[in-house]
Amino acid sequence: MQLGPGYRASALRRMRDGPFDAVIVGGGVVGCGTALDAATRGLDVALVEARDFASGTSSRSSKLLHGGLRYLEQGRMELVREALRERALLLERLCPHLAHSVPILLPLAPRSFDRGYLGAGVALYDLLGGHRDVPRHRHLTRGAALRMAPGLRPDAISGGILIHDGQVDDARHTVALARTAAHYGATVLSSARAETFLGEHERVEGVRVRDLESDDELEIRGRVTINATGVWSDELLATLGRPSPFHIRASKGVHLVVPRDRIQSEAGLLLRTESSVLFVLPWGSHWLVGTTDTPWDLDLAHPAATRADIEYLLEHVNPILCSPLGGDDVVGVYAGLRPLLARATGQTSELSRRHAVGSPAPGLVAVAGGKFTTYRVMARDAVDAAAEHLGGSIAESCTHEVPLLGAEGWRSLQNARHRLAERSGLDVAWIGHLLGRYGSEATALLEMIAAVPELGRPVPGAEGYLAAEVRWAVAAEAALHVDDVLTRRTRISIETEDRGVAAVRPVAELMAPVLGWSEFEIEREIAAYRSRVQAERASQEQLTDELADFTRTAAADLRAPSTAGAR
């Protein structure tokens, strides 16, 4: 299903015409998952997202599909079991082209008694997960651990335990969810901000939406409305003037991106801190180092990393490394917000990662909390709750059997990648790259390259991606602005030392013919992206969240700023 400019125009017409069975607000992983769940149950579905699909939490995670060892330590075994079941589904059936297992080493400190304690925990972790989708854990001697991770200080470890979890490109996965939902009949629209609820006699009957590309207003009516706006949940529900069934507290998580050659290891690392855990995870030619876990009550659309956040992460990873990381080693930084179900008291690291579904008004369902790995369960529960507002029974959820676009046929193409390379003239490494990002849809990109050979060249300033990927992002994946391409359809913004500044003009010029941009619009896009990068760099020099937030939100933004109901 191609979500290009033509699709967007038809989606706007369809939404004006209405009505729908279900109107979903929020284009993150939960909202897009809910659209897919509802559409595959036979419902007529509309979904609106204020910015870009996955532009919030769903593109700024640790990229893990996991049960959560620390939740096991807290005794939340059912939460862990549920997440591990979902991990297996994603790795084996739903999106094997986007997700894979990743080895992670748990170093054991010298003179500690952690081996027995942690060993029992990971054994239970394997047992709860069924140890089918990933390899079982292994205990390593000190020598074996150092051979696997020679970049660790020999005096800092006494051995290790090797586990495996899942890894996924969160943003690409969420965009694939949106496209798959559209493939099954949902009408999805980004850059469309829900501003108020519609309805009479206290029953919600849809939302009033502003198209941020044209500034036009439209009403989208539905028999039930589902609020899946994550950290924006409280703001949107507040417009009802009714008590909310739950409250959300935002927790900021910051990740650093450093070159792969700066840490010599064949596996990722899982380190325990005084209050949480720290991951060092492989990410292509880089490592992801994260994360922080601190309350955030400032601008929800643009969580900003501070110098204090960066120093915290470096201070906690460096004691175990032979060659400590410095600020100059940090290529990229990104910050995201976790939507945590709040209690009256407690640190954000202690708040629940369970999800909640409630009905604050007739015709309205709200879903919030949870974690990326369990998005499908959240979506199922939200649609189950919505059924009560539809006046009758609906089909049971079947998304556990619905692969995302690109999954079907992917394995056979993997086996044929050398033949694909010969036919296309591309190096086999490029074929592997495309299959790992687009699955069986890689053949569509190869057809584009065959028709326009220039699209088979690397993007200037971001040589790890092909020009065809930029064109496909606009023609098929609903990208409307250069930030959508540089930050979510690709990861150029965090994988290049200049944060994508050198690539922004080539990318804008590749997008322009599809979107019909004038020279003025090209220059405006370039200026806005450069302004964003400059503001992010400046915010990362600040010591407090307040100063970083003020600096970051000063950047130019081609979409209207988020307000209440801004998902």
Side-chain angles (χ1 to χ4, degrees):
M1 185 70 190
Q2 297 195 10
L3 306 187
Y7 173 86
R8 191 174 198 280
S10 65
L12 280 165
R13 289 193 296 270
R14 173 69 186 93
M15 288 185 174
R16 290 182 192 280
D17 292 342
F20 294 87
D21 293 321
V23 177
I24 299 165
V25 184
V29 69
V30 176
C32 292
T34 302
L36 177 59
D37 189 280
T40 53
R41 296 202 206 191
L43 300 181
D44 193 6
V45 178
L47 178 145
V48 292
E49 158 60 38
R51 302 179 69 79
D52 181 26
F53 298 119
S55 60
T57 306
S58 300
S59 62
R60 304 173 188 180
S61 73
S62 295
K63 325 300 181 198
L64 280 177
L65 300 171
H66 66 129
L69 273 172
R70 65 171 171 160
Y71 308 128
L72 189 61
E73 190 174 28
Q74 296 165 2
R76 303 176 184 178
M77 280 191 284
E78 190 49 45
L79 177 64
V80 175
R81 189 198 307 273
E82 178 181 78
L84 291 177
R85 282 197 301 261
E86 294 302 307
R87 182 191 70 182
L89 269 176
L90 289 159
L91 290 172
E92 297 175 350
R93 184 183 304 174
L94 302 187
C95 59
H97 59 303
L98 295 174
H100 57 271
S101 68
V102 59
I104 303 174
L105 176 65
L106 282 67
L108 301 175
R111 296 177 298 279
S112 78
F113 299 95
D114 282 350
R115 185 181 292 276
Y117 177 70
L118 291 177
V122 297
L124 179 57
Y125 194 68
D126 281 348
L127 182 64
L128 292 173
H131 52 76
R132 296 185 305 272
D133 54 317
V134 300
R136 297 187 65 165
H137 77 279
R138 286 194 294 126
H139 283 263
L140 303 179
T141 65
R142 179 172 174 273
L146 289 173
R147 285 191 293 273
M148 176 167 285
L152 301 186
R153 284 176 48 192
D155 62 340
I157 67 171
S158 61
I161 303 176
L162 183 68
I163 66 170
H164 285 76
D165 250 319
Q167 188 173 57
V168 67
D169 186 326
D170 49 6
R172 292 206 57 76
H173 171 273
T174 300
V175 171
L177 266 180
R179 294 182 59 230
T180 306
H183 173 76
Y184 284 98
T187 304
V188 301
L189 188 67
S190 62
S191 204
R193 185 178 67 207
E195 297 190 324
T196 60
F197 291 110
L198 301 174
E200 296 179 359
H201 309 299
E202 297 189 341
R203 181 178 180 86
V204 173
E205 298 177 346
V207 287
R208 181 172 290 107
V209 169
R210 184 169 300 281
D211 174 14
L212 299 181
E213 299 303 306
S214 66
D215 203 36
D216 292 339
E217 199 174 72
L218 62 151
E219 293 185 349
I220 308 175
R221 296 195 172 271
R223 296 166 60 200
V224 64
T225 301
I226 302 175
N227 175 26
T229 55
V231 294
W232 281 266
S233 291
D234 285 0
E235 291 191 10
L236 183 55
L237 293 176
T239 65
L240 284 172
R242 288 168 170 252
S244 175
F246 44 72
H247 292 287
I248 295 297
R249 283 182 61 187
S251 168
K252 184 178 69 168
V254 173
H255 293 78
L256 311 181
V257 184
V258 300
R260 192 69 174 269
D261 61 8
R262 284 296 290 111
I263 302 174
Q264 300 300 311
S265 179
E266 299 173 13
L269 304 173
L270 174 56
L271 311 175
R272 302 180 75 178
T273 71
E274 61 273 9
S275 61
S276 186
V277 295
L278 186 75
F279 286 105
V280 180
L281 299 168
W283 182 256
S285 58
H286 296 84
W287 295 102
L288 302 180
V289 181
T291 178
T292 61
D293 194 346
T294 55
W296 179 267
D297 57 7
L298 301 168
D299 181 44
L300 296 176
H302 302 293
T306 65
R307 192 171 77 197
D309 293 324
I310 296 170
E311 290 175 352
Y312 169 88
L313 292 172
L314 294 179
E315 288 170 1
H316 281 77
V317 73
N318 278 337
I320 202 169
L321 300 178
C322 291
S323 178
L325 300 173
D328 293 343
D329 296 311
V330 177
V331 173
V333 180
Y334 64 93
L337 299 177
R338 305 175 190 87
L340 304 180
L341 293 177
R343 305 180 209 165
T345 60
Q347 299 296 317
T348 56
S349 60
E350 299 172 348
L351 299 185
S352 176
R353 295 310 303 272
R354 288 193 176 278
H355 67 274
V357 177
S359 179
L364 178 63
V365 169
V367 55
K371 51 190 291 188
F372 193 103
T373 308
T374 57
Y375 79 88
R376 197 193 62 83
V377 177
M378 297 175 66
R380 180 196 67 199
D381 292 351
V383 179
D384 283 347
E388 299 178 11
H389 298 264
L390 294 174
S393 62
I394 62 173
E396 293 185 358
S397 176
C398 63
T399 50
H400 60 289
E401 298 176 345
V402 180
L404 302 191
L405 293 181
E408 294 283 4
W410 166 73
R411 296 189 192 280
S412 63
L413 289 175
Q414 278 281 87
N415 296 335
R417 60 188 180 277
H418 290 281
R419 189 169 71 248
L420 289 173
E422 291 174 4
R423 290 177 179 174
S424 67
L426 292 176
D427 188 275
V428 69
W430 278 118
I431 300 297
H433 166 84
L434 294 176
L435 288 172
R437 288 172 50 74
Y438 306 95
S440 55
E441 290 193 310
T443 56
L445 280 84
L446 294 178
E447 290 172 2
M448 291 173 60
I449 293 169
V452 184
E454 291 79 8
L455 296 178
R457 298 173 183 168
V459 175
E463 284 71 19
Y465 297 90
L466 296 177
E469 299 182 73
V470 177
R471 190 64 59 84
W472 179 257
V474 182
E477 296 180 337
L480 297 175
H481 298 281
V482 292
D483 182 59
D484 300 342
V485 173
L486 291 168
T487 306
R488 286 170 290 280
R489 305 307 181 278
T490 71
R491 293 313 182 116
I492 293 169
S493 67
I494 61 170
E495 293 174 348
T496 57
E497 192 169 354
D498 68 352
R499 313 285 174 100
V501 170
V504 64
R505 183 172 294 279
V507 165
E509 291 174 349
L510 283 164
M511 297 174 69
V514 185
L515 293 169
W517 286 346
S518 64
E519 285 297 323
F520 171 79
E521 289 168 312
I522 291 174
E523 295 302 325
R524 183 180 63 167
E525 288 279 335
I526 293 170
Y529 184 78
R530 288 175 173 167
S531 173
R532 195 209 87 173
V533 170
Q534 184 178 16
E536 283 187 350
R537 286 186 179 275
S539 72
Q540 290 156 20
E541 292 300 317
Q542 306 295 338
L543 287 175
T544 68
D545 282 344
E546 288 77 12
L547 288 173
D549 178 63
F550 177 81
T551 305
R552 172 65 186 90
T553 53
D557 191 342
L558 294 178
R559 294 182 176 97
S562 295
T563 59
R567 301 306 289 166

